[in-house]
Amino acid sequence: MKKRSWGGVNSGLLLLRIGVASIFVFAGWMKVSNLDATVGAFASMGFSAFWAYVVSFTELIGGLAVLLGFYTRVFAALLAIVMITATIFVHKDTTLLLNIFVTLSLVLAGGGKYSVVRKACGCGDCNMCVESDVAPKAPTSPSQM
């Protein structure tokens, strides 16, 4: 097969981010746009209003961050925690397993080079950032400077 410049790991991560972000942005927006109903639904499941706000805004803001590739690992981890908690305490079945595995995949892989923050975690100093395959490489010869 002919190698294409638009194909590869980074394009796959972009597509994965767009897909998972659309799910979370939509779900978060539905919760945030009607917080009274969301708080009521959480209360009927035995959760306080605090958790309704946390989950709603985590889904919305986390989804937007994943979409942009802004600290993808951090926000994907928060979204994975929300999904794991929802699976254990609310849905009690495997309906959310795909979301769990997708968010955990983004935690492990990062956002790829088509991200607002391209380095592994965004700090630029830790071993993950320094050794990341998406971190910018230093020029090796004077002609590359």
Side-chain angles (χ1 to χ4, degrees):
M1 288 192 101
K2 185 178 177 183
K3 186 175 181 181
R4 302 199 185 330
S5 62
W6 50 267
V9 173
N10 291 304
S11 298
L13 288 171
L14 174 63
L15 189 61
L16 185 65
R17 284 189 1 246
I18 291 170
V20 74
S22 63
I23 292 167
F24 283 108
V25 169
F26 178 75
W29 178 253
M30 296 308 292
K31 288 177 180 76
V32 169
S33 65
N34 194 354
L35 277 172
D36 291 336
T38 303
V39 169
F42 272 65
S44 71
M45 293 181 280
F47 294 99
S48 68
F50 171 78
W51 292 113
Y53 287 100
V54 168
V55 168
S56 300
F57 285 101
T58 299
E59 287 183 359
L60 180 63
I61 295 168
L64 290 171
V66 166
L67 177 65
L68 296 173
F70 183 77
Y71 294 99
T72 303
R73 293 176 191 257
V74 173
F75 284 102
L78 293 173
L79 293 170
I81 291 168
V82 168
M83 290 296 97
I84 290 168
T85 305
T87 300
I88 293 170
F89 293 108
V90 179
H91 296 286
K92 299 187 189 292
D93 59 20
T94 59
T95 57
L96 300 177
L97 278 179
L98 182 60
N99 285 342
I100 294 169
F101 284 108
V102 168
T103 53
L104 290 176
S105 296
L106 287 171
V107 170
L108 296 174
K113 77 176 187 177
Y114 303 121
S115 300
V116 173
V117 177
R118 289 179 39 186
K119 296 181 182 181
C121 73
C123 76
D125 296 324
C126 70
N127 286 338
M128 286 191 325
C129 285
V130 173
E131 297 171 1
S132 173
D133 63 337
V134 294
K137 304 292 185 226
T140 55
S141 67
S143 65
Q144 292 177 331
M145 291 183 180

